[in-house]
Amino acid sequence: MFNRLDDFRTTWQEEVEDTLKVLRAIPDQALDQAVAPGHRDLRRLGWHLVGSIGSLTSQMGLRVDGPAQDERGFPVAPPPTRAPAIVDAYARSAESLLEALADWDDAELEKVDLIFGHLHWKRSQTLLALLVHQVHHRGQMTVLMRQAGILVPEFYGPTREGWAAMGMPAPAV
């Protein structure tokens, strides 16, 4: 959890940049890539990332820019059919969160909210959950990207292709 808003802001900005790397690497023709029929495809995962920023932060009384949501916090509108529209919506929503936090001080992180009607979380925990949620789905997206033959961007270290570009074998699994 976070004790200082500046720590969250810094981490959020870093993770948003990594998520944008993933979203920007997905071409329109790969948006329907899913692990199996009936599972979220890259389009729906990307749109879910956009919608979840507003859905989770609204539980703390914050208003961020994003798609309109139903009572469960899911976007009402279907996901865009073009990848750049998902990228733009994600970037706007992520930046809007930082703007919404402008009036908060570190003491706000200790306040407890009722999240989704049954979780009593400190705001620091909710912000951490938002970050972890984004990273979780970004990981799912990189697997789908590999299945679709899309080069996965590097963010926490070299990819297999990154190791090869350095003339080194990737670490053994």
Side-chain angles (χ1 to χ4, degrees):
M1 291 192 285
F2 295 94
N3 296 316
R4 295 172 1 120
L5 271 170
D6 282 343
D7 293 337
F8 171 77
R9 287 182 184 110
T10 299
T11 305
W12 178 249
Q13 288 171 318
E14 292 167 357
E15 294 301 326
V16 163
E17 283 307 311
D18 288 343
T19 300
L20 285 169
K21 286 179 190 177
V22 168
L23 292 172
R24 288 178 180 135
I26 301 169
D28 288 346
Q29 63 270 24
L31 286 172
D32 63 350
Q33 178 69 39
V35 69
H39 290 262
R40 283 183 178 150
D41 55 21
L42 285 168
R43 174 185 296 107
R44 292 198 178 283
L45 281 168
W47 197 234
H48 176 63
L49 289 179
V50 175
S52 66
I53 298 171
S55 174
L56 196 49
T57 59
S58 70
Q59 305 293 305
M60 299 181 291
L62 295 173
R63 295 186 55 82
V64 300
D65 186 21
Q69 300 171 356
D70 65 17
E71 65 282 351
R72 297 177 304 155
F74 292 105
V76 175
T81 57
R82 306 271 334 275
I86 296 170
V87 171
D88 291 345
Y90 179 81
R92 277 193 318 274
S93 189
E95 181 61 30
S96 177
L97 170 55
L98 293 176
E99 293 166 5
L101 291 173
D103 294 334
W104 279 22
D105 60 20
D106 292 343
E108 290 287 328
L109 296 172
E110 291 298 314
K111 292 183 179 176
V112 175
D113 297 297
L114 184 61
I115 307 298
F116 298 121
H118 66 282
L119 301 168
H120 295 274
W121 282 355
K122 287 184 180 181
R123 290 178 173 180
S124 60
Q125 185 175 3
T126 304
L127 291 174
L128 177 61
L130 176 63
L131 274 167
V132 172
H133 178 262
Q134 298 274 309
V135 172
H136 162 71
H137 287 304
R138 189 172 71 216
Q140 290 178 315
M141 294 175 83
T142 62
V143 170
L144 296 178
M145 291 168 71
R146 285 251 183 236
Q147 289 179 332
I150 301 167
L151 182 65
V152 174
E154 297 179 345
F155 33 86
Y156 292 136
T159 59
R160 178 170 295 280
E161 296 82 3
W163 284 107
M166 293 186 287
M168 301 170 69
V173 290

